[in-house]
Amino acid sequence: MAERRGRNVRDVRRSNRSLLLRHLYFHPSSSRLDLSRATGLSAASVSSVVAELIEAQVVIESGALESDGGRPRILLDVAAPRFQVIGVDVGETRIRVERFDLGLTELARAEIPMPQGREPGRCAPGDVVAGVAEGLAVVGLPDPDSGVRVLGIGIGVPGIVAGRPESVVHCQTIGWDAVPLEALLREVTDLPLFIDNGANTLGQAEMWFGAGRGVSDTLFLLIGSGIGASVMLDGVAYRGSSTSAGEWGHITAAIGGRLCRCGARGCLEAYIGAESIIARYAEAAPAADAASAASEEDALLRILAAARREESEQGRAARAVLAETALHLGVSIGNLINLFNPERIIIGGWAGLLLAGDLLPGVREVARAHALRHPFSKAAIEVGRLGPDAVALGAATLPVARFLHTAGVGPRSH
Amino acid sequence: MAERRGRNVRDVRRSNRSLLLRHLYFHPSSSRLDLSRATGLSAASVSSVVAELIEAQVVIESGALESDGGRPRILLDVAAPRFQVIGVDVGETRIRVERFDLGLTELARAEIPMPQGREPGRCAPGDVVAGVAEGLAVVGLPDPDSGVRVLGIGIGVPGIVAGRPESVVHCQTIGWDAVPLEALLREVTDLPLFIDNGANTLGQAEMWFGAGRGVSDTLFLLIGSGIGASVMLDGVAYRGSSTSAGEWGHITAAIGGRLCRCGARGCLEAYIGAESIIARYAEAAPAADAASAASEEDALLRILAAARREESEQGRAARAVLAETALHLGVSIGNLINLFNPERIIIGGWAGLLLAGDLLPGVREVARAHALRHPFSKAAIEVGRLGPDAVALGAATLPVARFLHTAGVGPRSH
DNA sequence: ACAACTTAGTTCGTGTTCCGATTTAACTTC
DNA sequence: GAAGTTAAATCGGAACACGAACTAAGTTGT
């Protein structure tokens, strides 16, 4: 128990350097005095650490503020253009690769469709690696002579990421069992790799730039074709003892209930995921036109539209299916509130964003009825702000987070 | 985000002092060299810090090890007899108060029955305060001239403990809403108070001295008349944003299901708690003798015995009720494994310990069938080792934990 | 126009702290 | 009793944050 190592006097500097850099990253254009006040460090210490960061070209003086009666403040900023990161979103149907600068301004992007194998929803690890390699080639790298350093590649995948130090990916729904993705990808790149669950990376993006800003205990619910969740405790993703925490999709919502694509019965995903909503509607209203939809997104939009048509048979069927979805989502959110006592619950994913418009009030009410009063009153249930395409953005935050943590003195080739 | 304060060079000393003291507490009779090796601190630093702790009379030299060819090791120990703590278990039917030394060796105990009010299961806050005061008087305090310092009183209560800095207790089942227990108790004692949920304190006891030793991510499930849980992440209780995390009893196990004593329908407690088991058996086998049992414990024992009688009507009813209980417990454990990815799940509480003998294999199997393969394979489902009476012991760990954290330099009257 | 303010940032001396090297302490073994 | 061995203490050096004093770079008032 409590086997943390003893602290060194140099750890103090490391910790303070990282603290100042993080503050500067999330509060751009601060002066040294701002930093001093925000962190509690003395002005002398801030001066000293900032000088070091400027010396290392991690921070730059970016201007000065108009004076109001004294010496003007010199504004500091992270030297965002000098560092770049790459974010990858491995989806079941396509791979998206984006290149960003340190400030996560997008510089280039590529989208590679996945070859659909014999069985739908199954993709070979080799195809994913090839797709990532192709995407990396398209987005390119900065000119090696420019002095720009690429910090690493963050990758969001639709499965459980386990194993240390080499990441291994499990995903029952697409048939991956202990795929050594990190080792496979190392064949196509030398850059540091940061692999995480896609729900986690999307949640991370919302924490940094979306509905989770400044909140520490947050649950991010990703509702797409299937569903997943990311548990953010104390501002960072909680991973559990073997990095698979937050597997929300396959908790049992109804014993002996509907068959799920994972093979079990009564999984929550079989009531909330878009695939299941579409299937349930097709069962309830066989004559409906949803089957002819071009995509899942299109099909879900048609169901939402049908639900608004008062008198038709299909309207009744659509309303029943959506009501069942809202009921299960609300109950599950109530349960999560009791278990985790979060400050905020964020609903995201492409289906979640589509559904939230019509369903959110009902979901809130069901959650209220099924949660204890006290924790419910502290939990805000909100909709994600970033859209479903932020998985790559969130993945790119992973190398950035490492950089901020090490304050640029990590393993560098310098 | 990340608004931690800057670190000081004196924080290093504080942190190392606490680290060494904690190590010494959990690994008694270590030498300075043992400490150095275990913490990574240099021998010089260990010497210096230990000298300080000895000077402060927090640590003593307690002997020497036989030499094996060189200077013998001097053994160090925490000066346990110089410090005492008090643990209180506030139950629905009785209050237990125990006095311990720092090593949590019991020195005195008292058990005060609670006056049963008009409605069963409702107890007035005033009665609790009076009961605690009476218990404190019985266990007494050390002689003021002895130099023994009492670090504080830890209190485990059956409800949600919220509020800072003054603890306020909510409990829907016994009718407490925002009871300012800390303020009320301050009327009867001047000692520092540490109030927490009883499931948390019992879980804490298991973490320090029972089935959770050395494990960091653990869920402790308390099954008594009602049920509760304690979520231990990274070795300490996770409390959520407003300290009510782990409210496992009133998550919804079946939508529109059995009526729970909290007023909602389908709560897990209505399927797993001893009160519900007894009620369900009484419904299924009205002729049974369980109703005449002297206590809930007695009633549950009779149901377990009935279930073992092959051919009787009552045996079938008992088996059906217990099977339903095992099913819901297993499903819920499977869900918790998916969500939290714990290293260990510990079943405790008086009813949990009684049930585990017969039900555990079935519960494990159900959990396996309802959890994802990967996280299930990492989670051990075990039975608590400390018995149900360790709530007071666990409560007493709270002031001890604070003492170890501050290494004896906290707010002292010295 | 120039002194008097005002605010931002730097420099410097001081006190803590950990650490490596060396020394001292306390044994055993030959 | 000399040599060897292991444990612990001591000492000087380096890293660090901090407070106080100081410098820099403006505005304001007369």
Side-chain angles (χ1 to χ4, degrees):
Chain A
M1 180 159 305
E3 223 57 295
R4 223 177 314 146
R5 311 292 289 181
R7 293 241 176 288
N8 191 321
V9 73
R10 306 178 76 143
D11 296 334
V12 176
R13 184 64 153 209
R14 251 197 294 282
S15 150
N16 286 339
R17 189 164 39 204
S18 169
L19 178 67
L20 289 180
L21 189 61
R22 281 203 309 274
H23 188 91
L24 208 50
Y25 187 83
F26 292 106
H27 301 85
S29 296
S30 300
S31 71
R32 290 170 174 81
L33 215 57
D34 294 334
L35 290 174
S36 168
R37 275 197 270 264
T39 61
L41 265 70
S42 74
S45 305
V46 171
S47 257
S48 158
V49 173
V50 165
E52 218 174 83
L53 290 169
I54 289 177
E55 162 71 28
Q57 293 186 282
V58 171
V59 163
I60 52 166
E61 298 191 335
S62 58
L65 221 56
E66 192 107 332
S67 155
D68 52 328
R71 174 172 172 174
R73 306 183 172 194
I74 299 171
L75 299 183
L76 301 168
D77 272 293
V78 175
R82 274 187 40 85
F83 302 92
Q84 294 187 6
V85 291
I86 292 172
V88 178
D89 172 6
V90 175
E92 295 181 21
T93 60
R94 51 116 196 80
I95 289 172
R96 189 187 301 247
V97 179
E98 299 180 46
R99 184 154 59 90
F100 304 89
D101 73 6
L102 188 61
L104 293 176
T105 303
E106 188 179 307
L107 302 176
R109 71 154 66 193
E111 191 159 321
I112 313 296
M114 284 295 292
Q116 290 298 315
R118 301 135 285 287
E119 305 165 68
R122 302 240 143 192
C123 35
D127 291 342
V128 168
V129 173
V132 171
E134 189 182 339
L136 288 176
V138 173
V139 300
L141 287 175
D143 180 359
D145 300 330
S146 64
V148 174
R149 186 171 143 222
V150 180
L151 300 175
I153 305 178
I155 302 171
V157 297
I160 296 174
V161 180
R164 286 198 155 268
E166 288 282 284
S167 287
V168 168
V169 180
H170 309 267
C171 184
Q172 282 176 235
T173 55
I174 62 169
W176 284 23
D177 188 29
V179 171
L181 191 62
E182 184 164 352
L184 293 174
L185 284 170
R186 204 171 296 292
E187 303 284 315
V188 300
T189 181
D190 294 330
L191 290 167
L193 294 168
F194 303 78
I195 303 177
D196 202 351
N197 179 288
N200 273 341
T201 69
L202 188 48
Q204 180 93 345
E206 289 281 352
M207 292 298 284
W208 279 25
F209 305 109
R213 288 196 75 155
V215 184
S216 62
D217 295 328
T218 302
L219 297 180
F220 180 77
L221 307 183
L222 174 63
I223 305 178
S225 183
I227 68 175
S230 173
V231 180
M232 300 282 178
L233 306 183
D234 234 20
V236 297
Y238 168 69
R239 297 191 152 74
S241 71
S242 55
T243 67
S244 80
E247 279 296 323
W248 180 56
H250 301 281
I251 65 175
T252 303
I255 294 174
R258 213 182 146 78
L259 193 64
C260 175
R261 58 177 180 168
C262 78
R265 286 201 165 272
C267 292
L268 192 59
E269 184 168 298
Y271 296 94
I272 297 182
E275 188 177 310
S276 118
I277 294 176
I278 294 164
R280 275 150 53 220
Y281 179 64
E283 288 165 20
D289 55 347
S292 69
S295 65
E296 283 193 322
E297 191 164 338
D298 195 28
L300 188 58
L301 282 169
R302 291 197 200 183
I303 295 172
L304 285 164
R308 292 196 195 93
R309 285 200 298 276
E310 282 298 326
E311 279 309 312
S312 75
E313 180 70 29
Q314 288 155 23
R316 264 189 295 279
R319 281 195 294 278
V321 166
L322 291 177
E324 192 186 31
T325 301
L327 175 65
H328 276 101
L329 180 55
V331 167
S332 187
I333 288 178
N335 290 346
L336 291 174
I337 288 174
N338 278 3
L339 283 176
F340 287 97
N341 181 214
E343 203 171 339
R344 198 164 291 180
I345 290 187
I346 302 172
I347 297 172
W350 66 265
L353 297 175
L354 287 183
L355 292 168
D358 292 357
L359 266 51
L360 195 55
V363 167
R364 278 212 185 92
E365 176 53 28
V366 173
R368 188 199 58 72
H370 287 83
L372 292 173
R373 270 201 307 276
H374 170 77
F376 181 81
S377 69
K378 303 290 182 182
I381 302 171
E382 297 187 6
V383 181
R385 297 213 190 109
L386 292 185
D389 292 341
V391 170
L393 172 69
T397 65
L398 299 175
V400 174
R402 160 83 105 245
F403 178 77
L404 296 179
H405 185 254
T406 60
V409 291
R412 68 197 307 183
S413 49
H414 147 220
Chain B
M1 179 160 303
E3 222 60 295
R4 223 178 315 146
R5 312 292 290 181
R7 294 242 174 287
N8 192 321
V9 72
R10 306 178 77 145
D11 297 332
V12 175
R13 183 66 153 207
R14 251 197 296 281
S15 150
N16 286 339
R17 188 163 40 205
S18 170
L19 178 66
L20 289 180
L21 189 61
R22 280 203 309 274
H23 188 91
L24 209 49
Y25 187 82
F26 291 107
H27 302 85
S29 297
S30 301
S31 71
R32 290 169 175 82
L33 216 58
D34 294 334
L35 291 174
S36 168
R37 277 197 268 265
T39 61
L41 265 70
S42 73
S45 304
V46 170
S47 257
S48 157
V49 173
V50 165
E52 217 174 86
L53 290 169
I54 290 176
E55 162 71 30
Q57 293 186 283
V58 170
V59 163
I60 53 167
E61 298 190 334
S62 57
L65 222 56
E66 193 105 332
S67 156
D68 50 327
R71 175 172 172 175
R73 306 185 170 192
I74 299 169
L75 299 182
L76 301 169
D77 273 293
V78 176
R82 275 188 39 86
F83 302 92
Q84 294 186 7
V85 291
I86 292 171
V88 178
D89 171 7
V90 175
E92 294 181 20
T93 59
R94 50 116 194 79
I95 289 172
R96 187 187 303 248
V97 179
E98 300 180 46
R99 183 155 58 91
F100 303 89
D101 72 6
L102 186 61
L104 294 175
T105 303
E106 187 178 308
L107 303 175
R109 69 155 64 194
E111 190 158 323
I112 313 294
M114 283 294 293
Q116 290 299 315
R118 301 136 284 287
E119 303 165 70
R122 303 239 142 193
C123 37
D127 291 342
V128 168
V129 174
V132 172
E134 190 181 338
L136 288 176
V138 174
V139 300
L141 287 175
D143 180 0
D145 300 331
S146 64
V148 174
R149 186 171 144 222
V150 180
L151 300 175
I153 305 177
I155 302 170
V157 298
I160 296 174
V161 178
R164 286 199 154 270
E166 287 282 284
S167 286
V168 167
V169 180
H170 309 268
C171 185
Q172 283 176 232
T173 54
I174 62 169
W176 282 24
D177 189 27
V179 171
L181 189 62
E182 184 164 352
L184 293 174
L185 284 170
R186 204 171 298 293
E187 302 285 315
V188 300
T189 181
D190 293 330
L191 290 167
L193 294 168
F194 303 79
I195 304 176
D196 201 350
N197 177 288
N200 273 341
T201 69
L202 188 47
Q204 179 94 346
E206 289 281 354
M207 291 297 284
W208 279 25
F209 305 109
R213 288 196 76 155
V215 184
S216 61
D217 294 329
T218 301
L219 297 180
F220 181 77
L221 307 182
L222 175 63
I223 305 177
S225 182
I227 68 176
S230 174
V231 181
M232 299 284 178
L233 306 183
D234 232 19
V236 298
Y238 168 70
R239 298 193 151 72
S241 71
S242 56
T243 67
S244 80
E247 279 296 324
W248 179 58
H250 301 281
I251 65 175
T252 303
I255 294 174
R258 211 182 147 79
L259 192 64
C260 175
R261 57 179 180 167
C262 78
R265 284 201 168 272
C267 292
L268 192 59
E269 183 168 299
Y271 295 94
I272 296 181
E275 188 176 311
S276 118
I277 293 175
I278 295 164
R280 274 151 53 220
Y281 178 65
E283 288 166 20
D289 55 346
S292 69
S295 65
E296 282 193 322
E297 193 166 335
D298 196 28
L300 188 58
L301 281 169
R302 290 197 202 184
I303 295 172
L304 285 165
R308 291 197 197 93
R309 285 200 299 275
E310 284 298 326
E311 278 309 311
S312 74
E313 180 70 29
Q314 289 156 21
R316 265 189 294 279
R319 281 195 295 277
V321 167
L322 291 177
E324 192 185 32
T325 301
L327 175 65
H328 276 100
L329 180 56
V331 167
S332 187
I333 287 178
N335 291 345
L336 292 174
I337 287 175
N338 278 2
L339 284 175
F340 287 96
N341 181 212
E343 203 172 339
R344 199 165 290 181
I345 289 188
I346 302 171
I347 298 174
W350 66 265
L353 296 175
L354 287 182
L355 293 169
D358 292 357
L359 267 50
L360 194 56
V363 167
R364 278 212 185 95
E365 176 52 29
V366 173
R368 189 198 58 71
H370 287 83
L372 291 175
R373 270 200 308 275
H374 172 75
F376 181 81
S377 69
K378 304 289 181 182
I381 303 171
E382 297 188 4
V383 181
R385 296 215 189 108
L386 292 183
D389 292 342
V391 171
L393 172 67
T397 66
L398 300 175
V400 173
R402 159 82 108 245
F403 178 76
L404 296 179
H405 185 253
T406 59
V409 291
R412 68 197 306 182
S413 49
H414 142 226

